[in-house]
Amino acid sequence: MFTLIPCAMVAAMREGERMGELKDTEGWELMGGGEIVTHRGRTFRVEAERDDDAGTPWDDSDGHGPVSEWTQRAKLPGEMVLTEDRFRKRYYDFAKACRMARREGWGFLPEPLVTKETAEGWTATAGTFTATDTDINKAISAVYAAHRATMTAREYAAGAAMRDFEFLRGWCKDDWQFNIVTVTELDEDGDDKESESLCGVDNARDEYLIEVALELADTIADRADEADAVDRTAWAVEMEASRPDLYQMGA
């Protein structure tokens, strides 16, 4: 879990003053200057910028219903208007999306999924649906299964397709965008050390940006830990070679 240090406190951090710790990430402003966080004993800057090279979500990723090109034709049966300008429209084939959702097993939940680690394991919650298991993936699957059991297969597929339609329409309305998430480790003086980035990250959920940032920070930390271990081994070998008498006595 990240510990958030507001950007206004960075200067004081560089002067060695003790920082307070905020346990949640509510209010993060990753666009622009980013946020300074601590993770696994290291300090990182986490930031995001709009990914202008990303394509449309229905072309760049699987699991979406069919979307037409811009057209001036009339809407066909089973289609819904996804977006429009003065003279043209894009249509979402809702009827075909429902068939895809049922065939491919699309899922959806009535509310955002929240997971929390407890003494009993992991608890997953979405609205009134809750499940607990020692395996987080099993807890999440149980929540989806409980919600799916409240309706017929046809109704569930239609709900999943409608959720997909609303998600894609949000991108068309610029309610969410694709971002490039960059995590940079900082040294004791606050200067950049090394970075990891991932492009094409949707910011429809702030939690997803946090998850991606955490994975990037773990990648940097794992690599640094491995390098530290190699350095410690090399140092020990060098010390033993320089003073064999001490190491032979210890043996």
Side-chain angles (χ1 to χ4, degrees):
M1 181 63 184
F2 281 127
T3 299
L4 173 63
I5 303 176
C7 287
M9 302 170 72
V10 175
M13 180 189 70
R14 291 177 177 174
E15 295 174 3
E17 295 183 12
R18 183 177 182 277
M19 294 294 98
E21 294 185 350
L22 302 178
K23 298 302 183 183
D24 65 295
T25 54
E26 183 177 356
W28 272 28
E29 293 292 342
L30 298 185
M31 306 299 286
E35 297 286 354
I36 306 297
V37 303
T38 59
H39 178 60
R40 290 173 55 176
R42 301 178 183 275
T43 302
F44 300 92
R45 182 178 63 251
V46 182
E47 52 196 332
E49 60 180 314
R50 186 166 182 146
D51 186 356
D52 293 324
D53 293 329
T56 64
W58 51 87
D59 286 331
D60 281 4
S61 58
D62 297 327
H64 297 298
V67 177
S68 73
E69 298 295 331
W70 287 106
T71 180
Q72 293 181 315
R73 66 169 173 79
K75 183 173 71 67
L76 300 176
E79 291 184 329
M80 301 170 65
V81 177
L82 183 66
T83 185
E84 59 186 311
D85 60 17
R86 290 185 61 187
F87 304 107
R88 304 174 303 166
K89 294 181 174 65
R90 281 187 186 272
Y91 296 114
Y92 180 88
D93 192 334
F94 184 76
K96 188 172 182 179
C98 287
R99 294 193 294 271
M100 291 174 61
R102 190 169 182 180
R103 181 176 65 251
E104 298 174 7
W106 294 4
F108 79 104
L109 293 171
E111 301 289 342
L113 178 69
V114 177
T115 58
K116 182 178 180 181
E117 191 172 15
T118 66
E120 293 76 24
W122 285 93
T123 297
T125 303
T128 59
F129 300 93
T130 300
T132 300
D133 198 285
T134 54
D135 186 326
I136 185 173
N137 293 317
K138 290 182 179 180
I140 293 173
S141 296
V143 170
Y144 273 92
H147 179 232
R148 186 183 301 111
T150 64
M151 59 193 79
T152 66
R154 188 180 298 275
E155 290 171 338
Y156 189 75
M162 180 57 70
R163 184 62 57 87
D164 178 53
F165 171 79
E166 293 170 348
F167 180 74
L168 297 182
R169 184 168 60 175
W171 180 84
C172 294
K173 294 167 57 181
D174 207 32
D175 291 340
W176 65 269
Q177 308 85 33
F178 288 113
N179 284 182
I180 302 171
V181 178
T182 302
V183 176
T184 304
E185 185 180 5
L186 306 178
D187 63 19
E188 294 179 355
D189 297 322
D191 296 324
D192 294 0
K193 294 180 66 176
E194 61 173 310
S195 299
E196 286 285 342
S197 297
L198 184 65
C199 60
V201 181
D202 75 73
N203 64 357
R205 293 187 305 113
D206 289 340
E207 296 84 359
Y208 182 48
L209 291 181
I210 305 301
E211 292 168 10
V212 170
L214 182 60
E215 291 177 0
L216 295 176
D218 278 333
T219 297
I220 295 174
D222 288 344
R223 189 161 57 236
D225 288 346
E226 290 176 5
D228 290 346
V230 170
D231 289 343
R232 286 193 298 270
T233 300
W235 178 84
V237 170
E238 183 179 346
M239 288 297 295
E240 184 174 358
S242 64
R243 295 298 303 273
D245 52 324
L246 293 178
Y247 286 87
Q248 289 173 0
M249 289 175 60

